Every structure is written in structure tokens, then in C-alpha cells.
Amino acid sequence: MRSENTPFVGGPLDGQVLPVLVGPTGSPPQWYEVPVPDEDGGPHTVYAYRRAPAGHSRRLGLPRGWKYEYVPEGRERRTLNWPWSKPKRAE
């Protein structure tokens, strides 16, 4: 598998550059989660990082490389909205 050295901004990994596996399109995953075990044996703490462009090319404005930015509120979960699904009722 191919990996890319990706910088992390904010949070506990601030300033570190880690190798992140890239997908078939050559870009790293949209979210990167770092589980940290609790010292007292409790539940793990999960730090979430969202992928953001590190810069843009001058002519076409295409992203040139990626970086991960810390999201303190955690990863946002999204629900699938199929065209044949019934709309949710407001109660």
C-alpha cells in the first residue's frame, strides 16, 4: 500500500507528520481517528481529525497536498438519505 506523509494541525498531534495510507484515488481518508486508551481502564478517548487541503495551485485552484485539522467535538455522523425513504416526522 502507498502512504503519504501528512501534517496534523491542532489537538494532541499538533505539528507531527505521520504516514497515512492513501486510497485508490491517491488521497488520504476524509477522517482520521486516533484512539487513546484510558490509564484507569475506562473507555478509550478518540481524537478526530478532518482532511483539509494544504494549499492550492495557482492556475486551476486544485488542492496541492492534504493536512488534517483537529475537530474537538468529534466526528460528525451522517445518515443516508435515500430517495425512496419516507421523510422523518417532526414530533
Side-chain angles (χ1 to χ4, degrees):
M1 296 292 285
R2 193 174 141 236
S3 65
E4 179 179 302
N5 290 335
T6 309
F8 286 78
V9 178
L13 296 178
D14 189 26
Q16 293 188 12
V17 178
L18 300 175
V20 177
L21 293 176
V22 296
T25 60
S27 61
Q30 186 73 26
W31 287 91
Y32 190 84
E33 295 178 336
V34 180
V36 177
D38 189 40
E39 294 176 0
D40 300 330
H44 296 306
T45 303
V46 178
Y47 297 112
Y49 287 86
R50 183 184 309 135
R51 184 184 69 192
H56 296 283
S57 64
R58 299 181 93 193
R59 266 193 150 165
L60 299 176
L62 300 174
R64 298 187 71 156
W66 301 99
K67 64 181 176 181
Y68 280 104
E69 296 176 343
Y70 178 63
V71 181
E73 58 269 2
R75 183 174 180 175
E76 53 202 35
R77 302 290 178 191
R78 45 173 251 178
T79 58
L80 295 176
N81 186 13
W82 299 103
W84 54 84
S85 298
K86 294 181 181 177
K88 293 184 179 181
R89 289 186 0 198
E91 295 181 19

